Amino acid sequence: MNIVLDNIGKSYKAGKREVLALSGVSLNVGSGEFVSIIGPSGCGKSTLFKIICGLANPDRGSVRINGSRDYRPGDVLSYMPQKDLLMPWRTVLDNVLLPVKIRGEDLKKGREDALGLFPLFGLEGFESSYPGELSGGMSQRAALLRTVLAGRELMLLDEPFGSLDAITRFNMQQWLQEIWLKLNRTVIFITHDVDEAIFLSDRIYVMSPRPGSLRDCLEVTIPRPRTSSAVIGNNFVKLKEKLIGLLADQLPPSDS
Amino acid sequence: MSGCKGALGGLAVFIAVWELAVLLAGIPKYLLPPPSDVLVYIVRDYQLIILHSAYTLAAAVSGLLLAVAAGLLLALAMDYWPSLESGLYPLLVVSQAVPIITLAPLIIMWLGYGLLPKVMVAGLICFFPLTVSVIGGMRASDRELSDLMRVMGASRWQVLWLARLPAAMPAFFSGLKISAAYSVMGAVIGEWLGSSSGLGVILLRFTHSYQTARVLAAVTAIVVMSLLLFGLSELVSRRVMPWHHRRQG
Ligand SMILES: Nc1ncnc2c1ncn2[C@@H]1O[C@H](COP(=O)(O)OP(=O)(O)OP(=O)(O)O)[C@@H](O)[C@H]1O
Ligand SMILES: [Mg+2]
């Protein structure tokens, strides 16, 4: 698994104006890596994912997955959008099985796999609940489980913990690290949160405000599995200082 | 349930006031009979009423089911083939400028005096609100969900069947509840224009002979039937959409 973004550019038409969302984005992610993209709101992070997923076409540049430009997204990646997008009319179990159902794969086996993961995702006992009965954090975990169960090697996670409180958020980050270590997937992870990025990533790209580009990159070498005490370790604090410095250096977005 | 109790209380007060007003003001019975008289006729004529109600109910329910099937199919087809939608949807809306009641005589002319023309009138009246509510529900369904499904590799048909149609179910069932009441009205209109049985027929017959209490007895049967179909739609909706009702608590 190998994904290469080469000089991606993308602009949107907003009425008469053209909004340049991305400009010259290049990125290289290898097998089994956990790479984060951090940047201010509106800098084009979600747009980048939409381009990788084939939901938006770049104006310039190319995306190659395993060397190929015309991959079928459904075969190589699973995408977790910013919203959980659970179907209110399907139970939690049926929701997480949606990718299995769509591909016409073995539902019985899928169900077994899913049920095996419910405890890990803190969803045990809610298999036959409806999304409307879940808390915000549980909905995000269900969406994450759906993404994991899609079983593709590359996972694109767009602020999966965006709407969580600090405590749940930290638990979820530990979960995600656990899952990632266990399942050996490649992850590209979008976040606003400095601690989250450092805690989870092998590498962090800092995206500049609109037009977004990946200017700086930070390697995180804190050994895994990282525990809650890693957050106050010397290494962590230094990286955090550096990352906050990089983010502060970014010019504020000019809308004029 | 408390709303149900409130409504029953309101109804009781309304009936009591009516009864007293008729008694005290001395209104002639052929103009406005007291509710007690209506009740007497409901009891006395119950066999007649049930017989004709069954006929009307058959027409109403068949019309409703026909409209449900046709409406769902058309909505699905229009969603799947956008060109069909852009061609047909305006026509569908414009068709509502033609009051069904003006078409009913034509339908009777074409289809005769049996059950079928009543089914058609009832069906035509239900068809529009049902189709439009399903289409509206599909249009309002979450675009991003469809996108996500496409990324998962779903076909257009799967997106329609697994996401857009279920998303339209709440809208469909509100359309169904309205249509359930309309369907009885449609059947009665069909019967007015020519029939040998049905509540519409006895309604006309009693009106012509100024048997006002018996007219109101037939009206009561129509109201009860509409409410029954309405309640049945609500029940089906609860069975089909437990998620919707559970969330509303
Ligand atoms: N479909 C669209 N049409 C027009 N403009 C769009 C569209 N999608 C995004 N944009 C614009 O592109 C820019 C980047 O949007 P994007 O959603 O990628 O930001 P983001 O970095 O994900 O922000 P956030 O962190 O708030 O989620 C924004 O200025 C947004 O207004
Ligand atoms: Mg975003």
Side-chain angles (χ1 to χ4, degrees):
Chain A
M1 164 66 44
N2 160 275
I3 165 163
V4 180
L5 307 189
D6 182 28
N7 202 23
I8 300 268
K10 168 83 186 167
S11 55
Y12 284 111
K13 280 201 184 62
K16 278 184 192 159
R17 271 185 338 140
E18 279 240 327
V19 177
L20 189 58
L22 293 171
S23 164
V25 174
S26 298
L27 175 78
N28 202 324
V29 180
S31 214
E33 273 193 302
F34 197 118
V35 170
S36 288
I37 297 173
I38 190 167
S41 182
C43 69
K45 304 180 296 295
S46 298
T47 302
L48 193 61
F49 271 10
K50 287 192 182 129
I51 289 172
I52 300 175
C53 290
L55 292 174
N57 284 319
D59 303 330
R60 270 182 310 284
S62 65
V63 182
R64 281 169 206 276
I65 293 183
N66 297 329
S68 157
R69 282 181 71 151
D70 42 25
Y71 52 90
R72 290 184 32 172
D75 295 343
V76 289
L77 60 86
S78 29
Y79 167 46
M80 177 177 172
Q82 211 160 347
K83 285 203 273 176
D84 61 62
L85 295 178
L86 298 171
M87 294 174 164
W89 54 87
R90 288 172 89 92
T91 62
V92 175
L93 181 60
D94 285 340
N95 258 294
V96 303
L97 287 173
L98 185 65
V100 180
K101 164 111 187 160
I102 285 175
R103 293 187 194 123
E105 289 165 3
D106 187 357
L107 265 174
K108 213 175 133 199
K109 187 185 165 293
R111 197 169 291 129
E112 274 165 27
D113 294 348
L115 289 174
L117 285 171
F118 264 74
L120 181 60
F121 278 72
L123 290 168
E124 209 174 12
F126 289 88
E127 293 81 358
S128 47
S129 302
Y130 290 98
E133 300 166 306
L134 300 184
S135 73
M138 293 165 88
S139 302
Q140 284 204 318
R141 287 191 295 239
L144 184 57
L145 178 54
R146 180 182 60 196
T147 315
V148 169
L149 280 171
R152 295 305 179 244
E153 215 191 311
L154 172 63
M155 295 205 290
L156 304 179
L157 308 179
D158 193 345
E159 292 188 41
F161 311 140
S163 64
L164 302 186
D165 62 277
I167 303 165
T168 320
R169 198 173 176 126
F170 191 65
N171 284 333
M172 293 285 300
Q173 289 161 4
Q174 284 177 308
W175 258 317
L176 182 58
Q177 180 185 232
E178 225 172 281
I179 290 159
W180 174 74
L181 287 172
K182 207 181 265 179
L183 302 177
N184 193 28
R185 303 271 177 84
T186 310
V187 177
I188 307 180
F189 187 91
I190 288 176
T191 179
H192 283 140
D193 187 310
V194 172
D195 290 278
E196 179 169 279
I198 301 173
F199 183 76
L200 287 169
S201 315
D202 296 325
R203 205 142 33 90
I204 304 168
Y205 284 92
V206 181
M207 197 179 252
S208 63
R210 210 168 51 227
S213 60
L214 301 178
R215 262 194 233 155
D216 304 288
C217 175
L218 228 80
E219 300 278 341
V220 183
T221 47
I222 303 168
R224 302 195 188 257
R226 298 170 188 161
T227 58
S228 48
S229 57
V231 190
I232 44 170
N234 229 340
N235 229 336
F236 195 100
V237 175
K238 264 189 209 145
L239 278 168
K240 186 169 170 179
E241 215 172 326
K242 202 167 163 193
L243 192 51
I244 290 174
L246 286 173
L247 284 166
D249 278 349
Q250 311 275 9
L251 293 169
S254 59
D255 273 320
S256 50
Chain B
M1 274 299 116
S2 64
C4 202
K5 259 182 210 157
L8 280 179
L11 188 66
V13 171
F14 173 72
I15 289 176
V17 169
W18 174 3
E19 180 84 40
L20 279 174
V22 171
L23 253 157
L24 296 179
I27 301 171
K29 280 192 174 176
Y30 70 89
L31 281 183
L32 185 66
S36 52
D37 264 31
V38 177
L39 186 68
V40 167
Y41 278 107
I42 290 175
V43 172
R44 226 195 60 187
D45 290 345
Y46 83 97
Q47 269 179 322
L48 183 83
I49 289 178
I50 285 180
L51 191 77
H52 289 275
S53 294
Y55 189 84
T56 305
L57 189 65
V61 169
S62 315
L64 185 63
L65 290 179
L66 205 67
V68 166
L72 280 176
L73 273 177
L74 187 68
L76 276 172
M78 279 170 55
D79 206 66
Y80 193 75
W81 291 292
S83 54
L84 191 67
E85 174 159 358
S86 54
L88 223 54
Y89 192 78
L91 276 184
L92 204 64
V93 174
V94 169
S95 77
Q96 288 311 291
V98 186
I100 301 292
I101 195 161
T102 60
L103 289 183
L106 268 179
I107 295 170
I108 305 280
M109 240 169 67
W110 291 333
L111 299 176
Y113 292 93
L115 192 63
L116 187 61
K118 286 100 193 174
V119 172
M120 290 310 284
V121 175
L124 272 176
I125 285 184
C126 299
F127 175 70
F128 181 75
L130 276 169
T131 311
V132 168
S133 54
V134 176
I135 291 172
M138 283 177 167
R139 282 182 178 174
S141 77
D142 197 333
R143 181 59 213 281
E144 290 174 80
L145 176 58
S146 306
D147 283 347
L148 175 63
M149 290 180 67
R150 296 309 293 265
V151 174
M152 290 174 178
S155 63
R156 264 168 46 70
W157 172 250
Q158 282 179 314
V159 172
L160 181 52
W161 185 250
L162 294 172
R164 292 176 69 81
L165 187 64
M169 279 302 109
F172 166 74
F173 277 105
S174 29
L176 183 67
K177 274 180 253 173
I178 299 170
S179 299
Y182 281 8
S183 70
V184 178
M185 176 179 81
V188 170
I189 289 175
E191 288 159 5
W192 276 353
L193 293 166
S195 183
S196 49
S197 12
L199 286 172
V201 174
I202 61 171
L203 207 62
L204 277 190
R205 203 181 289 154
F206 293 146
T207 309
H208 290 154
S209 52
Y210 284 90
Q211 297 179 282
T212 314
R214 299 179 84 182
V215 170
L216 287 173
V219 169
T220 307
I222 291 173
V223 169
V224 167
M225 199 185 295
S226 296
L227 285 178
L228 243 130
L229 286 181
F230 184 90
L232 200 66
S233 314
E234 176 70 23
L235 266 178
V236 175
S237 139
R238 277 172 193 277
R239 280 305 288 270
V240 174
M241 303 192 298
W243 48 279
H244 189 66
H245 297 279
R246 239 192 258 181
R247 197 175 32 181
Q248 291 184 337

